[in-house]
Amino acid sequence: MWMKTRKAVVKYFKFVGPGFMVSVAYIDPGNYATDVAAGATFRFRLLFMILLSNIFAVFLQTLCVKLGTVTGMNLAENCKAHLPPWLNYVLYAFAEAAIIATDIAEVIGTAIALNLLLKVPLVAGCAISILDVLIILIFYNPSGMSMRALRIFEMCVMLLVLGVVVSFCFELSMIRDTSVAEVFQGYLPSKALVTSKGLYQSCGILGATVMPHSLYLGSGIVQSRLRDFDDRHNTSGTPPTTPPTEPIDPTSLLPSSASLTSVLSEKYRPSLAAINACLTYSTLELAISLITFALFVNSAILIVAGSSLSHLPAEEIEAADLFTIHDLLARTLAPVAGTMFALALLLSGTSAGIVCTIAGQMVSEGQLRWTVKPWVRRLITRSISITPSIIIAGAVGREGLGTALEASQVALSVVLPFVSAPLIWFTCRASVMRVWTSDVDDGGDGSGTQGVDGGRVVVLRNHWVTSAVAVVIWGVIVVMNVALLVLLGKRK
């Protein structure tokens, strides 16, 4: 028993890395803005929304891992392979809009952090942010990296995440006169969720947590371990090229469009053995990383803001932003508390910039077949996002940056239903979630299999319960966003 447990733990740690990279997307500067605003306005009462958003994120990310593991393709590549061209391009436009909105938040967050730490002017900080992770991304090439080099890259991202966690552990240790019971009560639903301001901030939290680009990222960073397994065991999941000997529609193995056959034949197809060996551990590692780190950091930001800002007068709460909480922490707790907050913000912006660029790379390569080096992609995306940030910083100043940060996260929430819908659809489809194996006695769940040239096709689509939960979650996200848009329309 002990040996089995030890072997499982050792194997689990070999899979640590992708979950950290996905969790980075959930602790970017946009989260700071929405969580600070929520804490200042409602104290701890929107902690429930952070918990709910993280539950949604874990569930959707497990679907991402499953899609990327079974098909060997990320969400963008599946959109290209299985959707009509017009729909693929529409979804690409939504994905790029989400990535630019995310990058705007990272530009603003980095500029604010540099201003707080080094007194760099906001406009200059926005301009400097174009260089923040270019050097790191020059060395990132997942298709040409060894497993060892990829692990080192993942560890570098993990160190940035751990730096953020340590910073907020320090912040929480400095809080005084706050009841633990009151904090945990915030994880229960409250009427604050249905108020106009509460719904706006809840949608901001949802968009900042279940970020659209993270779905592409989660489906695209699991293949390296699958490929490593197949390389070491000399296995392959490529379906046979000869016609099947038993009645079966060969187009069910691949996309129905004949023009896509050559595209998919170039892609790596994991073997059933690799899927069985990696899927559970990849899913577990990602879920644990999100629950322990993303949930902790987002909760910590809101708790620190709620305990520090909620007692301020109403007009000051309305204007509360990252500058406000930094100044208050430095003045009421200790100067180092403000410094640690700004340092955590800078680390979050840097790490989020890395994974946002990787996700953007997956989107452009997968849906447009447009291949560029990661640092070139970073330069293009950030150049687009820097322009409005500099205009806002120069014309409106810190107040405008805070508003833009929060609004960017609400925009991500609005885009989320469009990006998550194909993810749910693909993982429910037997024609997509199939893998061929040459061994008729190989493992798997045995559902929906048919003989093919001495082997078989194993169907790994969602169970109907999983599909039902996915549809319910998608429906909740849609209802929240429709209600938000209606309220925003009434304001005008």
Side-chain angles (χ1 to χ4, degrees):
M1 180 65 181
W2 162 248
M3 291 300 295
K4 287 184 178 180
T5 304
R6 182 177 178 274
K7 185 178 179 180
V9 171
V10 170
K11 185 175 180 180
Y12 168 79
F13 278 104
K14 291 181 179 179
F15 283 82
V16 171
F20 275 85
M21 294 184 67
V22 173
S23 66
V24 163
Y26 300 148
I27 55 175
D28 79 330
N31 292 82
Y32 284 70
T34 55
D35 294 340
V36 165
T41 307
F42 296 103
R43 198 164 167 80
F44 309 128
R45 284 176 288 172
L46 291 188
L47 280 172
F48 170 77
M49 196 61 215
I50 288 181
L51 176 62
L52 184 65
S53 296
N54 273 271
I55 292 174
F56 286 2
V58 170
F59 184 87
L60 291 176
Q61 285 295 339
T62 58
L63 297 186
C64 291
V65 171
K66 186 174 182 179
L67 179 67
T69 300
V70 174
T71 67
M73 299 187 293
N74 59 48
L75 178 58
E77 291 168 331
N78 275 286
C79 288
K80 175 72 173 177
H82 300 288
L83 297 179
W86 69 267
L87 184 55
N88 175 59
Y89 294 136
V90 168
L91 291 174
Y92 169 76
F94 278 118
E96 283 291 359
I99 289 169
I100 291 172
T102 302
D103 217 42
I104 287 175
E106 287 151 12
V107 168
I108 294 173
T110 300
I112 292 174
L114 290 173
N115 180 265
L116 294 174
L117 289 171
L118 304 173
K119 307 303 178 186
V120 176
L122 291 174
V123 174
C126 289
I128 292 173
S129 69
I130 200 170
L131 303 173
D132 57 356
V133 293
L134 279 180
I135 296 177
I136 299 175
L137 288 172
I138 287 174
F139 300 100
Y140 180 77
N141 180 20
S143 60
M145 294 174 73
S146 66
M147 194 65 207
R148 179 184 177 86
L150 188 62
R151 291 278 290 163
I152 292 174
F153 183 85
E154 292 172 349
M155 293 301 164
C156 291
V157 176
M158 286 173 58
L159 289 176
L160 293 173
V161 175
L162 292 175
V164 176
V165 171
V166 170
S167 298
F168 276 103
C169 285
F170 176 81
E171 298 289 355
L172 291 175
S173 70
M174 300 286 288
I175 295 177
R176 300 289 183 270
D177 303 323
T178 298
S179 168
V180 175
E182 183 186 4
V183 171
F184 279 98
Q185 190 176 357
Y187 287 106
L188 300 175
S190 73
K191 62 181 181 181
L193 294 168
V194 297
T195 64
S196 176
K197 184 71 172 177
L199 180 61
Y200 181 81
Q201 293 180 343
S202 294
C203 284
I205 292 173
L206 181 67
T209 304
V210 195
M211 304 187 79
H213 77 278
S214 69
L215 301 181
Y216 292 94
L217 183 72
S219 64
I221 58 176
V222 294
Q223 286 85 14
S224 57
R225 284 164 175 77
L226 292 161
R227 189 187 295 271
D228 180 65
F229 180 94
D230 280 333
D231 288 344
R232 286 188 289 106
H233 294 82
N234 195 28
T235 52
S236 173
T238 304
T241 55
T242 57
T245 57
E246 297 185 26
I248 183 174
D249 180 8
T251 61
S252 64
L253 299 179
L254 294 174
S256 56
S257 173
S259 63
L260 291 174
T261 303
S262 60
V263 173
L264 289 184
S265 64
E266 300 172 4
K267 294 299 298 179
Y268 159 68
R269 304 284 295 184
S271 67
L272 183 60
I275 293 170
N276 289 336
C278 299
L279 180 58
T280 299
Y281 283 92
S282 294
T283 303
L284 187 64
E285 187 269 339
L286 185 139
I288 291 175
S289 298
L290 290 182
I291 293 171
T292 54
F293 294 100
L295 178 59
F296 169 78
V297 171
N298 281 302
S299 297
I301 298 170
L302 191 145
I303 292 168
V304 170
S307 60
S308 304
L309 303 177
S310 59
H311 64 278
L312 297 176
E315 61 275 7
E316 292 187 31
I317 289 179
E318 190 67 26
D321 56 11
L322 300 180
F323 293 98
T324 306
I325 191 171
H326 169 269
D327 296 342
L328 198 62
L329 289 173
R331 188 172 67 252
T332 59
L333 298 181
V336 68
T339 302
M340 292 295 285
F341 180 83
L343 180 62
L345 180 61
L346 183 62
L347 292 174
S348 296
T350 302
S351 55
I354 295 172
V355 299
C356 183
T357 302
I358 296 172
Q361 191 88 355
M362 292 177 183
V363 169
S364 58
E365 290 183 359
Q367 294 187 252
L368 295 186
R369 308 283 291 174
W370 176 47
T371 303
V372 295
K373 293 183 180 297
W375 67 269
V376 175
R377 164 77 198 197
R378 175 64 168 176
L379 197 62
I380 295 171
T381 305
R382 179 125 306 186
S383 297
I384 295 172
S385 59
I386 269 184
T387 304
S389 303
I390 289 179
I391 293 173
I392 294 171
V396 188
R398 54 178 281 182
E399 295 82 6
L401 286 179
T403 302
L405 250 178
E406 191 174 357
S408 69
Q409 306 309 294
V410 175
L412 291 176
S413 178
V414 174
V415 171
L416 183 59
F418 298 96
V419 175
S420 57
L423 169 66
I424 297 170
W425 174 256
F426 292 146
T427 53
C428 292
R429 299 285 293 173
S431 59
V432 177
M433 303 297 288
R434 290 186 171 202
V435 59
W436 177 83
T437 174
S438 58
D439 187 353
V440 294
D441 296 321
D442 205 347
D445 60 6
S447 60
T449 62
Q450 290 180 289
V452 180
D453 280 0
R456 64 172 182 163
V457 174
V458 180
V459 178
L460 296 172
R461 65 180 176 185
N462 292 338
H463 189 274
W464 71 267
V465 174
T466 304
S467 300
V469 173
V471 171
V472 169
I473 289 176
W474 187 82
V476 171
I477 294 172
V478 170
V479 169
M480 285 185 63
N481 281 288
V482 169
L484 171 67
L485 294 175
V486 170
L487 286 173
L488 290 176
K490 286 184 176 180
R491 282 186 182 181
K492 296 179 179 179

